Amino acid sequence: MIPEVSLMLLLVVTFILDFASSKKTERKWFNPVACIFMLIQVGYCVYTSILLAPYNHELAFLGDMYITSQAINLMKTILAAGTLIVLIQSRAWLSRPEQKDKEGEFYMLVFATLLGMNMMMSAGHFLMFFLALEMASIPMACLAALDKKRNESAEAGAKFILTAIFSSGVMLFGISMIYGACGTLYFYEVAGKMIAMGASLASVPLLIAGMVFFFSGLGFKISLVPFHFWTADTYQGAPTTVTGYLSVISKGAAAFTLMMILYKAFGPLVEYWDYVLYAVIVLSITIANLFAIRQKDLKRFMAFSSISQAGYIMLAVVGEHHLAATALVYYVLVYIVANLSVFTIISTIEQNNNGCVDMDAYNGLYKTNPKLAFLMTLALFSLGGIPPFAGFFSKFFVFMAATEAKFYLLVFIALINTVVSLFYYLLIVKAMYINQNDNPLPYFKTDGNTKLALVICTLGVVFFGICSYVYDWIYAAM
């Protein structure tokens, strides 16, 4: 439990630092300290992954309610690294006069949320999973409403917490059905009871209904269609830094956890949840792409983009276990660097354009800020799946996993939607390079933290696709 214990210590130390220095007007040291803390956390996760490398099986703790493995710790490492990027690029936003007094709260909420996600991925019991999910969701609602003086931010927090409550209720209803049918809430024991039922499994509608309700509850967290209605409003209203965090870190943790629970607990029901996933993936990719084309607000645009990307992430789950898990983790890794690059640029332009995030603000951006326009183009090309960027290979491995499972029609539909998604990503590129603007955004300098975050993300977008070692490393851990 090194990653969880270290995060808990970071949370306590950050609380003490914030409390002790709350009356100081200038705390320029706070962000570097928080970033160093997060870098230490990444190091602890890497160290734990190395410790677990000799083991080819999962290790259980706390009465088998906490489970760890090299694959789980690899995912914790990736999410911690993504959180580090978020903290690095958050400095410009947190240094604004209206946000200075919330800096400590922001770091504590981020650490608390990441702690919940880590516990969620290591859960071996449905109630442990539910407690961890709430530990991650409640601080996330606070983050969405952090800029409370803006009506949109308060609305974003309210919509997030209301949908989170509803989805949690649906999920608990499903968990109670599973307990009623199996008499246990341990993932492997639930699967064992199903195997023992054998041919009579299909005659237990309570169990199948419980699985559907559980899937529906977690579908809210991942923003899968038709559980996505909160996403656009929350993404638009939340602070842009929080939106970036919400779109990649929490989505990656929830998707990985759903995959692990489907395999561990609902493996014998694969013939049922495969078709549920089939319908949800097609709806998520198609509907999100069609709605994204209509958006003019760039944060709402990226909200529908993230719904579509969630569909692609879940496409890996229908494949063979080992190949699917590798494809999903690799996709999340690439998605983190590409999406955070986009949100870093959106946040930078928002702060230098009186809070405007409309797509029209990007008209002619290449003429005044060519470097930002170029980096935005690279990130969008990766999200669209254009070779040789990492996004192309992440989609390729996801399609390969689904093809191995003989879901040819599903892959064909996803390929068509990839062309559609490329079209709407190119709308932003067209705005930056081709569209004319009578009052273009003037040239401005970006701060050092923003540059560092963009350098890290761009290197990931470029090199994760051409360095085969990254994929091999993930494959070995699975």
Side-chain angles (χ1 to χ4, degrees):
M1 294 187 73
I2 290 176
E4 288 77 22
V5 172
S6 59
L7 257 181
M8 195 67 216
L9 289 174
L10 294 184
L11 183 58
V12 172
V13 172
T14 305
F15 173 78
I16 294 171
L17 287 175
D18 183 47
F19 181 77
S21 62
S22 59
K23 293 184 179 180
K24 294 182 180 180
T25 54
E26 291 293 333
R27 295 192 292 181
K28 294 182 179 180
W29 50 269
F30 210 164
N31 184 264
V33 168
C35 292
I36 291 171
F37 284 169
M38 204 65 239
L39 186 61
I40 293 171
Q41 175 65 19
V42 175
Y44 276 134
C45 291
V46 172
Y47 173 67
T48 312
S49 296
I50 294 171
L51 284 180
L52 292 168
Y55 300 94
N56 294 321
H57 59 278
E58 295 177 336
L59 303 176
F61 188 51
L62 298 175
D64 294 343
M65 295 185 78
Y66 178 92
I67 294 174
T68 189
S69 67
Q70 192 181 11
I72 293 171
N73 275 277
L74 174 61
M75 193 64 187
K76 290 177 183 178
T77 304
I78 292 171
L79 296 183
T83 305
L84 174 61
I85 297 172
V86 172
L87 294 184
I88 291 172
Q89 64 101 357
S90 68
R91 186 174 189 178
W93 167 61
L94 291 171
S95 63
R96 297 173 69 87
E98 65 272 17
Q99 304 297 343
K100 282 185 177 180
D101 60 329
K102 304 171 189 172
E103 188 172 8
E105 296 172 27
F106 175 76
Y107 300 140
M108 285 185 283
L109 289 170
V110 168
F111 292 154
T113 304
L114 189 60
L115 176 61
M117 293 176 194
N118 281 1
M119 293 299 295
M120 187 171 71
M121 291 186 288
S122 286
H125 187 278
F126 277 105
L127 285 187
M128 172 71 86
F129 162 76
F130 180 77
L131 290 173
L133 183 65
E134 294 307 299
M135 193 191 303
S137 297
I138 295 172
M140 187 65 75
C142 298
L143 283 172
L146 196 63
D147 197 0
K148 58 188 177 184
K149 293 182 181 178
R150 289 175 54 239
N151 291 333
E152 295 89 348
S153 184
E155 180 185 351
K159 287 187 175 180
F160 184 88
I161 198 67
L162 286 173
T163 53
I165 290 169
F166 179 72
S167 63
S168 296
V170 170
M171 185 182 296
L172 273 179
F173 190 40
I175 291 173
S176 67
M177 290 180 175
I178 294 166
Y179 183 76
C182 298
T184 181
L185 289 176
Y186 284 96
F187 295 157
Y188 286 120
E189 289 184 6
V190 168
K193 291 281 186 179
M194 293 183 193
I195 293 171
M197 291 178 191
S200 63
L201 182 62
S203 64
V204 188
L206 187 66
L207 190 56
I208 297 170
M211 182 202 69
V212 172
F213 276 109
F214 176 82
F215 181 88
S216 301
L218 203 49
F220 275 100
K221 312 297 182 184
I222 309 176
S223 303
L224 294 169
V225 174
F227 317 111
H228 68 291
F229 293 103
W230 62 274
T231 311
D233 292 335
T234 300
Y235 279 31
Q236 182 184 13
T240 304
T241 300
V242 175
T243 304
Y245 182 73
L246 184 62
S247 69
V248 290
I249 309 301
S250 66
K251 194 181 297 291
F256 180 82
T257 306
L258 176 59
M259 177 189 69
M260 299 300 285
I261 294 176
L262 287 175
Y263 288 144
K264 290 177 183 178
F266 300 117
L269 289 175
V270 62
E271 59 181 301
Y272 295 96
W273 59 255
D274 254 356
Y275 290 105
V276 173
L277 272 178
Y278 197 115
V280 167
I281 289 167
V282 171
L283 289 172
S284 298
I285 296 174
T286 306
I287 293 176
N289 283 345
L290 294 177
F291 274 86
I293 295 173
R294 302 176 56 196
Q295 303 305 314
K296 294 300 181 184
D297 184 291
L298 213 57
K299 288 168 74 173
R300 292 185 72 88
F301 175 92
M302 293 305 297
F304 286 105
S305 165
S306 74
I307 296 169
S308 174
Q309 297 288 347
Y312 285 108
I313 291 172
M314 297 313 298
L315 180 62
V317 181
V318 299
E320 181 270 328
H321 184 182
H322 195 84
L323 196 62
T326 307
L328 186 144
V329 173
Y330 182 76
Y331 197 104
V332 169
L333 172 64
V334 173
Y335 179 57
I336 283 174
V337 291
N339 220 45
L340 285 182
S341 182
V342 171
F343 274 106
T344 301
I345 295 170
I346 292 174
S347 178
T348 303
I349 292 177
E350 179 186 18
Q351 292 169 40
N352 289 275
N353 195 31
N354 298 319
C356 180
V357 290
D358 288 343
M359 196 180 295
D360 292 339
Y362 291 74
N363 290 344
L365 183 66
Y366 176 73
K367 294 180 180 178
T368 56
N369 294 273
K371 292 179 182 178
L372 284 180
F374 178 68
L375 295 180
M376 175 73 109
T377 303
L378 295 185
L380 291 171
F381 280 177
S382 181
L383 288 174
I386 296 179
F389 303 107
F392 167 77
F393 295 98
S394 65
K395 280 189 168 60
F396 173 78
F397 290 126
V398 164
F399 292 156
M400 186 171 70
T403 303
E404 287 286 328
K406 297 182 172 54
F407 282 89
Y408 303 120
L409 180 59
L410 183 59
V411 173
F412 178 70
I413 295 171
L415 282 170
I416 293 175
N417 275 282
T418 301
V419 178
V420 178
S421 68
L422 181 59
F423 167 74
Y424 64 73
Y425 287 131
L426 287 175
L427 289 176
I428 304 177
V429 178
K430 175 176 175 287
M432 293 188 297
Y433 287 89
I434 298 175
N435 291 359
Q436 300 297 319
N437 193 344
D438 297 331
N439 188 24
L441 192 67
Y443 171 77
F444 56 86
K445 287 187 177 182
T446 53
D447 63 288
N449 277 48
T450 300
K451 289 178 181 177
L452 177 59
L454 287 174
V455 166
I456 295 171
C457 291
T458 305
L459 288 175
V461 165
V462 174
F463 289 110
F464 285 161
I466 60 177
C467 294
S468 60
Y469 173 76
V470 176
Y471 183 83
D472 292 339
W473 173 51
I474 295 172
Y475 187 83
M478 294 298 121

